[in-house]
Amino acid sequence: MTLKSIKYESGKLEILNQLLLPAHSQYIEVKGVEDGWRAIHKMQVRGAPAIAIVGCLSLAVEIQSEVFTNKKTFGRQEVEGKKNYLVSARPTAVNMKLAADELISLVSRQPNYKKKNVGGSKILFLKSIEAMLEKDIADNRAIGDAGAKAVLSHCSVDGLVRVLTHCNTGSLATAGYGTALGVVRSLHSANRLEHVYCTETRPYNQGARLTAYELVHEKIPATLICDSMVSALMRARNITAVVVGADRVAANGDTANKIGTYQIAVVAKYHGVPFYVAAPFTSIDFAIPSGEHIVIEERPEKEMTHVGDMRIATPGISCWNPAFDITPSRLITAIITERGVFTPEELKQQKNCLFTSTLFTMHRHKKMDLATDGTEIMFRNYLCGHS
């Protein structure tokens, strides 16, 4: 049975407190946006898809019982203001902002909204948020199947594969199934996975605490390694492919992912091991040309100097603790999404196709006046499924 990090039913939201894993499995209730912001910022919930879902669901819980008198209060002040606040909890992941932007756009496009039927707008808004859970799981399964096919292309017809992954990208980081770990699950289900190696992922140990926990829970053959063992592993074992997740992908294919990803990509390139990034299409931010434009979150020093409440570093030492690094597109074999597998060069072609489609959509809806100053919003709306 797959672990469930998010529970939502009848307006009640609970999340699995990942700070307590693997020692304790405890769900905490999220009663509104403030609780959602704290849970995301403190990393009680983490992973770009899960952050987006919990953020939006926390907003849904908060507005469930509220009554709005006009569309301005509901749209701009309530929804957009709180969306921006939630995004500030973990700014590197783009999924939260894209999802919220699409929800606002969805509400503003409906006829009831223009007629000031704010009650109808709120109902549609809530239903759209609740649908995110099911869509994320379906997207993850599609990513898993597409990724498994890509990885298997590097071995014989009946051969087994060995995969290396970094950080946690499974059911604990999503609504269920996972992205990069979803690829591992699909390979295991097809009886084509010989072994998966997961890194500890210092300094927060998401690999040791969370990925290892999921793999043991589902009885998938796995071995935990220290982050510093990747080079030795690739030399000693025949690794078929590296599969990692992503918090944001730039238009040129540069990818922001958990710190330590970049060095794995460098080592994989040296050893001739294919390096795949698995992420939902909404993690691709076509509004930014390269990874240089991605804001990198820096975390508290205590995550480096302590394990739990025990200090392991000498008092007085200064620390640099970026949560993510940027892997250049030239080190990436392909990006696995629910819409297909794209090389970084093919991703650029997708951007051109999206731009053409968006202009066509705008022309159809007689919104060509947005073509000059609304390009970023248009792309975001399209990436979240609007056409």
Side-chain angles (χ1 to χ4, degrees):
M1 180 179 176
T2 303
L3 294 165
K4 201 169 187 179
S5 62
I6 304 168
K7 292 182 178 180
Y8 179 82
E9 188 175 357
S10 303
K12 183 178 180 179
L13 173 63
E14 292 181 322
I15 62 166
L16 182 62
N17 186 353
Q18 296 186 25
L19 295 179
L20 302 180
L21 293 175
H24 303 285
S25 297
Q26 179 188 87
Y27 285 88
I28 56 176
E29 187 173 1
V30 175
K31 298 180 179 180
V33 168
E34 285 291 343
D35 287 347
W37 190 94
R38 279 194 295 270
I40 293 168
H41 185 70
K42 290 171 65 177
M43 293 176 69
Q44 290 172 315
V45 62
R46 19 93 22 231
I51 286 171
I53 292 168
V54 169
C56 289
L57 284 175
S58 73
L59 180 56
V61 169
E62 185 156 310
I63 69 174
Q64 193 96 30
S65 59
E66 293 185 20
V67 177
F68 301 95
T69 57
N70 61 75
K71 63 181 182 180
K72 183 178 180 181
T73 301
F74 176 66
R76 293 291 174 186
Q77 296 176 15
E78 187 72 12
V79 176
E80 189 158 355
K82 289 180 177 178
K83 173 211 73 173
N84 292 334
Y85 175 62
L86 285 163
V87 168
S88 72
R90 299 292 306 278
T92 302
V94 72
N95 305 59
M96 172 70 217
K97 187 172 186 348
L98 290 175
D101 283 347
E102 172 60 13
L103 289 168
I104 292 170
S105 176
L106 175 69
V107 170
S108 65
R109 290 198 307 268
Q110 63 163 320
N112 286 338
Y113 185 79
K114 295 175 182 177
K115 293 177 182 178
K116 300 185 180 181
N117 183 353
V118 186
S121 297
K122 189 179 96 168
I123 292 171
L124 177 64
F125 185 80
L126 291 173
K127 286 183 177 179
S128 299
I129 291 176
E130 290 167 359
M132 290 174 65
L133 279 165
E134 291 184 10
K135 184 179 185 303
D136 187 64
I137 293 173
D139 287 349
N140 288 347
R141 290 187 178 277
I143 289 170
D145 292 343
K149 185 177 179 180
V151 171
L152 289 172
S153 70
H154 299 284
C155 72
S156 62
V157 176
D158 299 320
L160 299 178
V161 297
R162 294 177 181 174
V163 176
L164 170 67
T165 192
H166 183 61
C167 196
N168 176 256
T169 55
S171 57
L172 295 175
T174 62
Y177 203 73
T179 53
L181 210 56
V183 175
V184 171
R185 284 193 169 93
S186 291
L187 288 166
H188 181 61
S189 296
N191 296 317
R192 299 296 299 275
L193 179 72
E194 180 180 328
H195 213 82
V196 57
Y197 295 87
C198 59
T199 58
E200 59 184 346
T201 325
R202 283 282 298 150
Y204 222 57
N205 294 311
Q206 294 97 323
R209 291 188 301 108
L210 306 178
T211 300
Y213 182 72
E214 288 197 46
L215 294 169
V216 169
H217 179 83
E218 298 194 28
K219 297 180 173 58
I220 296 174
T223 296
L224 175 67
I225 64 168
C226 295
D227 292 358
S228 55
M229 297 176 182
V230 171
S231 298
L233 175 74
M234 289 189 183
R235 184 176 181 181
R237 306 289 169 86
N238 182 23
I239 302 300
T240 310
V242 175
V243 186
V244 300
D247 285 74
R248 186 178 297 202
V249 180
N252 71 337
D254 291 353
T255 297
N257 193 49
K258 185 56 56 186
I259 191 71
T261 304
Y262 176 29
Q263 64 193 29
I264 295 175
V266 171
V267 172
K269 187 76 171 180
Y270 177 82
H271 287 89
V273 176
F275 185 94
Y276 289 98
V277 173
F281 207 79
T282 48
S283 291
I284 304 170
D285 191 347
F286 285 103
I288 55 173
S290 70
E292 295 178 2
H293 300 267
I294 297 175
V295 176
I296 299 297
E297 171 193 0
E298 292 196 23
R299 301 287 300 172
E301 290 186 357
K302 187 178 179 181
E303 292 180 2
M304 292 180 66
T305 60
H306 291 68
V307 173
D309 293 325
M310 180 180 294
R311 174 177 274 277
I312 60 172
T314 301
I317 188 68
S318 62
C319 298
W320 180 51
N321 188 19
F324 306 92
D325 55 26
I326 304 296
T327 300
S329 59
R330 62 183 176 275
L331 298 178
I332 296 172
T333 304
I335 296 158
I336 304 162
T337 77
E338 73 277 15
R339 300 187 187 183
V341 180
F342 306 100
T343 65
E345 191 58 39
E346 289 169 339
L347 203 63
K348 296 174 187 176
Q349 295 171 11
Q350 285 292 308
K351 177 181 177 180
N352 294 334
C353 292
L354 288 171
F355 183 71
T356 302
S357 269
T358 305
L359 291 181
F360 173 78
T361 300
M362 292 173 60
H363 177 70
R364 188 176 63 191
H365 292 288
K366 298 180 180 179
K367 295 180 180 179
M368 289 299 291
D369 56 309
L370 294 177
T372 55
D373 58 359
T375 304
E376 181 176 338
I377 295 173
M378 291 186 295
F379 274 135
R380 286 174 177 161
N381 289 344
Y382 189 91
L383 290 177
C384 287
H386 172 48
S387 60

